[in-house]
Amino acid sequence: MRKKTDSAKWTGSVSLDASLIKNKNSIFKIATKADVQYNNKKELWLFVNDLKFEKAAEKSFVNKGTQHLRYNHKVMETIKMEGFVQAQYDAISEIDFRGLIGAGPRFKLSSDEDYRFYLGTLIMYEYEQTSEIENNKINKDVRGSTYFSFSIYPTETIGIISTSYYQPRLDAFKDYRLSSTTSVLFKILENLAFKTTFTYNFDAYPVVTIPKAQYELTNGLLYTF
């Protein structure tokens, strides 16, 4: 979600996808994502709010949200220290609340502004409260959070942005999560783009009855400011 900036300290974007379908059932879908970034070249603050809801025949099929705040401090040109806090819920995955706090270094692997690659190695504390379907409702774990991200801009109108995470429990490496999000942007106007995003999540030990792997493909519009 970090953005290239020359002199602007405040930047951001907002996207909204909504649909209403009527066939045998009434299906309502809405997804909204907004981020605000402050960057003064030495420090960066980033806040992301991501909400998704889908309902059909009076039953929710998707109901989840994430709020994420991240801070970067430049140590040298290729290394930054970063910390983050995150709160999320996912009713379909039986997660009533999951809170995260973590910190660690972030390494810049390339100097080309149109082909940027990064590696992060963080440690985080996780507090998770599952629904009543799980016997042990509260989990408190320490996990690693290693991620690889890249932003590629082969032309003025096309961008490919991706981040992949590997998050094992430090006291039980067989309990791990994988997460990957890749977006392809096609510029329509100066601040407006068409966006296709594929998200894949894998949890080796999810809440009972929940599949280990979940994925999602979405299309929508993205406005930046």
Side-chain angles (χ1 to χ4, degrees), residues 89-107:
Y89 67 91
D90 188 341
I92 303 304
S93 295
E94 303 292 348
I95 304 298
D96 288 346
F97 174 79
R98 178 184 290 163
L100 306 172
I101 183 169
R106 167 183 168 90
F107 304 94

Side-chain angles (χ1 to χ4, degrees), residues 73-86:
H73 181 81
K74 181 185 288 187
V75 178
M76 58 182 66
E77 189 60 35
T78 57
I79 301 177
K80 292 183 179 180
M81 293 299 297
E82 62 180 1
F84 73 90
V85 292
Q86 178 172 302

Side-chain angles (χ1 to χ4, degrees), residues 2-3 37-46 68-75 79-84 102-107 118 122 147:
R2 298 169 177 84
K3 298 174 180 62
Q37 173 184 291
Y38 175 83
N39 188 353
N40 64 8
K41 301 300 183 181
K42 187 71 174 179
E43 297 177 311
L44 180 146
W45 290 90
L46 174 66
H68 182 96
L69 177 64
R70 184 168 293 246
Y71 170 75
N72 282 182
H73 181 81
K74 181 185 288 187
V75 178
I79 301 177
K80 292 183 179 180
M81 293 299 297
E82 62 180 1
F84 73 90
R106 167 183 168 90
F107 304 94
Y118 297 92
L122 292 77
Y147 69 85

Side-chain angles (χ1 to χ4, degrees), residues 23-174:
N23 41 49
K24 292 177 65 177
N25 297 306
S26 295
I27 304 172
F28 175 70
K29 301 179 183 180
I30 187 168
T32 177
K33 190 169 188 176
D35 68 271
V36 178
Q37 173 184 291
Y38 175 83
N39 188 353
N40 64 8
K41 301 300 183 181
K42 187 71 174 179
E43 297 177 311
L44 180 146
W45 290 90
L46 174 66
F47 176 73
V48 181
N49 186 62
D50 189 0
L51 301 173
K52 296 179 182 178
F53 180 78
E54 180 176 335
K55 188 174 184 179
E58 303 303 319
K59 182 178 180 181
S60 295
F61 290 96
V62 176
N63 184 10
K64 60 183 178 180
T66 301
Q67 291 76 43
H68 182 96
L69 177 64
R70 184 168 293 246
Y71 170 75
N72 282 182
H73 181 81
K74 181 185 288 187
V75 178
M76 58 182 66
E77 189 60 35
T78 57
I79 301 177
K80 292 183 179 180
M81 293 299 297
E82 62 180 1
F84 73 90
V85 292
Q86 178 172 302
Q88 64 186 105
Y89 67 91
D90 188 341
I92 303 304
S93 295
E94 303 292 348
I95 304 298
D96 288 346
F97 174 79
R98 178 184 290 163
L100 306 172
I101 183 169
R106 167 183 168 90
F107 304 94
K108 185 177 182 180
L109 305 180
S110 66
S111 57
D112 192 323
E113 286 301 309
D114 290 329
Y115 296 88
R116 296 180 288 163
F117 299 88
Y118 297 92
L119 177 68
T121 55
L122 292 77
I123 299 293
M124 67 181 187
Y125 173 76
E126 176 185 81
Y127 175 92
E128 181 181 83
Q129 179 176 340
T130 61
S131 71
E132 296 290 346
I133 196 171
E134 189 90 338
N135 290 328
N136 183 15
K137 286 190 61 182
I138 305 297
N139 297 305
K140 301 177 182 180
D141 300 308
V142 177
R143 291 181 179 269
S145 182
T146 300
Y147 69 85
F148 174 72
S149 67
F150 64 84
S151 302
I152 300 174
Y153 302 92
T155 70
E156 289 292 325
T157 58
I158 298 176
I160 304 171
I161 302 168
S162 179
T163 302
S164 298
Y165 288 89
Y166 169 60
Q167 298 177 330
R169 261 180 58 187
L170 296 186
D171 62 337
F173 273 78
K174 64 180 181 179

Side-chain angles (χ1 to χ4, degrees), residues 132-224:
E132 296 290 346
I133 196 171
E134 189 90 338
N135 290 328
N136 183 15
K137 286 190 61 182
I138 305 297
N139 297 305
K140 301 177 182 180
D141 300 308
V142 177
R143 291 181 179 269
S145 182
T146 300
Y147 69 85
F148 174 72
S149 67
F150 64 84
S151 302
I152 300 174
Y153 302 92
T155 70
E156 289 292 325
T157 58
I158 298 176
I160 304 171
I161 302 168
S162 179
T163 302
S164 298
Y165 288 89
Y166 169 60
Q167 298 177 330
R169 261 180 58 187
L170 296 186
D171 62 337
F173 273 78
K174 64 180 181 179
D175 184 352
Y176 66 92
R177 299 192 185 112
L178 298 175
S179 176
S180 181
T181 300
T182 300
S183 296
V184 181
L185 307 177
F186 301 93
K187 187 175 180 181
I188 301 173
L189 300 172
E190 182 62 31
N191 295 324
L192 186 66
F194 177 80
K195 178 182 66 171
T196 296
T197 301
F198 179 75
T199 301
Y200 176 83
N201 293 297
F202 179 88
D203 191 341
Y205 288 90
V207 177
V208 293
T209 76
I210 304 302
K212 292 184 178 182
Q214 301 182 48
Y215 62 88
E216 179 182 3
L217 179 65
T218 60
N219 296 305
L221 295 176
L222 176 70
Y223 178 76
T224 59

